[in-house]
């Protein structure tokens, strides 16, 4: 390992700080605000926050903070050693930072925020144009929107049907949506980024992975006899699976190609 790796690791660390900061403040305030301690709700001083120190109340930073920092250090190193084709190190790390923000917020809050999606349209649109031109980018965005919007409408119809049945059975219907509109926005962003026709494969991969994991959970619940009829209605958060499949499609082919000796 040469000294050239130091700026690379620094870039990875800063990207991780960015993901942690945005995941800390955006779900709470929807803007670039001062982060607050999750135990006592008092603001962090910039210095203590940036240096990962304990809060004045004694609370340490979350486990997620450290996982994100470690993942981005490793990712920066991997991107530098094997820069993804077309994207290169800089754009590759920028896109990964964006996807990291979406992934962490969706996992923690089950939310895909509209301002984050709007920023994604700009970033994903720009990267799409750069990678595969206007036509493939627009078609990809349109397909990403159209395919998930269809599933969104199906989900709405299904939720209504279920609510009617529950009312008929004398139960209070819950209004959990099968699929949030945030998933439609995310799939549009990924459509712009991956372009046509790759978005097809990306969505399919995400849906299959989400379905497979949900099925596994139902099987485990059955085996430990904790399964109830309602468990079948588990809300599948597709966002994280879409993000993972997009990362796989954008970054992995290059790693596989480079790993194969010529
Ligand atoms: Zn505190």
């Amino acid at each position: 390992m040469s000294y050239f790796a130091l700026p690379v690791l620094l870039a990875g660390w800063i990207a991780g700080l960015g993901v942690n900061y945005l995941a800390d403040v955006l779900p709470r305030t929807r803007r670039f605000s001062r982060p607050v301690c999750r135990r006592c709700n008092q603001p962090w001083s910039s210095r203590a926050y940036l240096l990962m120190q304990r809060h004045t109340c004694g609370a340490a930073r979350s486990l997620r903070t450290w996982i994100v920092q470690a993942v981005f250090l490793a990712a920066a190193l991997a991107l530098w050693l094997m820069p993804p084709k077309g994207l290169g190190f800089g754009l590759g790390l920028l896109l990964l930072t964006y996807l990291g923000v979406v992934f962490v917020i969706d996992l923690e809050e089950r939310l895909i925020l509209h301002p984050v999606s709007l920023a994604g349209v700009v970033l994903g649109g720009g990267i799409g144009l750069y990678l595969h031109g206007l036509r493939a980018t627009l078609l990809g965005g349109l397909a990403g929107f159209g395919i998930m919007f269809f599933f969104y409408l199906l989900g709405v119809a299904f939720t209504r049907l279920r609510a009617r049945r529950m009312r008929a059975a004398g139960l209070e219907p819950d209004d959990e949506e099968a699929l949030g509109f945030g998933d439609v926005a995310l799939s549009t962003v990924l459509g712009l980024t991956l372009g046509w026709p790759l978005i097809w494969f990306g969505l399919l991969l995400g849906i299959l992975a989400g379905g497979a994991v949900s099925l596994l959970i139902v099987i485990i619940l059955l085996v430990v006899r904790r399964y109830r009829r309602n468990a079948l209605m588990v809300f599948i958060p597709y966002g994280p699976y879409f993000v993972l499949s997009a990362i796989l499609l954008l970054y992995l082919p290059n790693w596989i190609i480079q790993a194969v000796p010529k």
Side-chain angles (χ1 to χ4, degrees):
M1 186 83 52
S2 69
Y3 288 116
F4 290 115
L6 281 177
V8 169
L9 290 174
L10 187 66
W13 187 260
I14 291 170
L17 285 178
V19 171
N20 276 315
Y21 168 70
L22 293 172
D24 280 342
V25 303
L26 287 184
R28 286 179 57 93
T29 64
R30 304 288 198 276
R31 59 187 182 85
F32 305 123
S33 54
R34 181 172 279 272
V36 299
C37 168
R38 67 208 156 100
R39 190 208 275 172
C40 68
N41 261 337
Q42 296 302 308
W44 286 88
S45 75
S46 310
R47 187 190 142 87
Y49 185 79
L50 280 174
L51 293 179
M52 307 273 176
Q53 293 166 338
R54 280 176 181 274
H55 194 248
T56 45
C57 75
R61 292 292 290 277
S62 64
L63 178 62
R64 177 261 286 164
T65 306
W66 296 104
I67 294 174
V68 166
Q69 292 303 134
V71 165
F72 272 86
L73 277 184
L77 212 53
L79 285 176
W80 180 60
L81 293 172
M82 300 168 285
K85 199 163 173 253
L87 284 173
F89 175 81
L91 265 185
L93 189 60
L94 183 66
L95 181 62
L96 206 60
T97 304
Y98 174 78
L99 294 173
V101 173
V102 175
F103 184 86
V104 172
I105 295 180
D106 199 4
L107 217 59
E108 290 184 342
E109 317 279 339
R110 289 194 167 183
L111 268 178
I112 296 174
L113 303 168
H114 292 311
V116 175
S117 298
L118 276 178
V121 168
V122 175
L123 180 68
I127 288 178
L129 275 179
Y130 175 68
L131 285 184
H132 18 252
L134 185 64
R135 200 182 126 86
T137 303
L138 286 182
L139 275 178
L142 209 63
F145 174 81
I147 293 168
M148 286 315 282
F149 189 61
F150 172 74
F151 283 115
Y152 173 77
L153 292 180
L154 269 187
V156 169
F158 175 75
T159 307
R160 281 198 191 139
L161 189 73
R162 191 160 75 98
R164 199 181 302 160
R165 283 206 176 156
M166 286 179 83
R167 253 186 243 111
L171 296 166
E172 193 60 39
D174 48 23
D175 35 87
E176 176 137 40
E177 277 187 16
L179 187 74
F181 200 77
D183 289 306
V184 181
L186 174 62
S187 128
T188 310
V189 169
L190 295 181
L192 293 168
T193 315
L194 291 172
W196 178 265
L198 201 54
I199 181 60
W200 244 115
F201 193 57
L203 291 180
L204 188 68
L205 207 62
I207 290 172
L208 287 180
V213 171
S214 304
L215 190 67
L216 198 70
I217 292 172
V218 169
I219 289 172
I220 291 171
L221 289 176
L222 275 173
V223 168
V224 299
R225 292 168 187 277
R226 293 274 303 280
Y227 178 80
R228 294 197 184 83
R229 235 166 68 91
N230 269 349
L232 242 191
M233 302 300 179
V234 277
F235 171 95
I236 305 177
Y238 279 107
Y241 296 102
F242 287 152
V243 168
L244 288 179
S245 71
I247 290 175
L248 214 65
L249 291 177
L250 281 167
Y251 296 85
L252 197 70
N254 220 58
W255 295 346
I256 294 173
I257 290 165
Q258 296 201 3
V260 176
K262 289 200 177 76

